[in-house]
Amino acid sequence: MKNPKIEKELIHYIKSNSDHNSLYWYPLVHVEKSIPVAAYDIIGIYQNNNIYFIENIIKWCHIEKVSLFQMDYREYFENENITQLLYERDKDGYIFQWYAETFIFDKSKEWLIYLSHENTISFTGEKIVTIAKQMIPLCYLIA
């Protein structure tokens, strides 16, 4: 469900805290090196029909309803079912893998999933990174 009020607040907050008044990449500028992160080739995962790797991570972390902030379109959505998003399709195929510059999170603030225009899916947070490293084969690991 789209939430224009929060969308406006997020954009204002990001721009007001940015030296270059841009939304692009800004949320990753101050990430500390001690935060666990793992990035994977999402296109490869989808092309090889291995979406269940991501679905299993979601299940093991008990993630259901999420919020999404799409930087390119400056849109914020909340209460989205992440498992349904993983398998959503249009005439060209699966949509989730093309959610470039999208941050996915929930109210727990224990994890973050980031989809980039470089065709990666990144997991941040101790539990979700540990589970991702157990579930996704090394051949998809980027960083």
Side-chain angles (χ1 to χ4, degrees):
M1 171 183 3
K2 193 168 166 70
N3 189 325
K5 182 180 183 245
I6 294 178
E7 191 173 283
K8 263 185 166 176
E9 289 174 11
L10 276 170
I11 292 166
H12 173 73
Y13 175 77
I14 292 169
K15 282 186 173 183
S16 68
N17 286 290
S18 175
D19 294 334
H20 45 78
N21 199 30
S22 168
L23 294 177
Y24 189 70
W25 285 115
Y26 177 73
L28 299 180
V29 170
H30 299 293
V31 173
E32 296 177 25
K33 302 249 188 266
S34 63
I35 296 174
V37 176
Y40 297 90
D41 172 12
I42 192 163
I43 301 300
I45 290 170
Y46 269 81
Q47 285 176 344
N48 294 325
N49 276 335
N50 289 321
I51 306 165
Y52 68 92
F53 292 150
I54 301 169
E55 182 183 5
N56 286 339
I57 293 165
I58 301 301
K59 285 181 181 175
W60 274 89
C61 291
H62 306 288
I63 299 169
E64 293 177 19
K65 298 291 184 177
V66 298
S67 295
L68 292 90
F69 183 57
Q70 295 180 318
M71 296 288 280
D72 285 351
Y73 302 105
R74 297 181 174 138
E75 293 182 319
Y76 174 81
F77 300 88
E78 56 188 13
N79 292 322
E80 298 289 330
N81 181 313
I82 190 164
T83 304
Q84 286 179 349
L85 292 173
L86 289 175
Y87 291 98
E88 188 176 2
R89 297 179 70 126
D90 65 11
K91 62 181 174 58
D92 297 323
Y94 291 105
I95 298 171
F96 187 83
Q97 64 186 326
W98 304 113
Y99 282 175
E101 311 315 328
T102 300
F103 295 86
I104 302 168
F105 51 93
D106 68 6
K107 293 177 183 177
S108 74
K109 299 181 183 174
E110 293 178 3
W111 57 269
L112 176 77
I113 298 172
Y114 175 66
L115 299 162
S116 82
H117 71 280
E118 283 105 359
N119 305 324
T120 63
I121 182 169
S122 300
F123 300 95
T124 304
E126 192 170 332
K127 181 178 180 180
I128 199 167
V129 168
T130 300
I131 292 171
K133 288 182 176 181
Q134 293 170 354
M135 301 266 178
I136 302 177
L138 285 176
C139 63
Y140 297 110
L141 184 67
I142 293 174

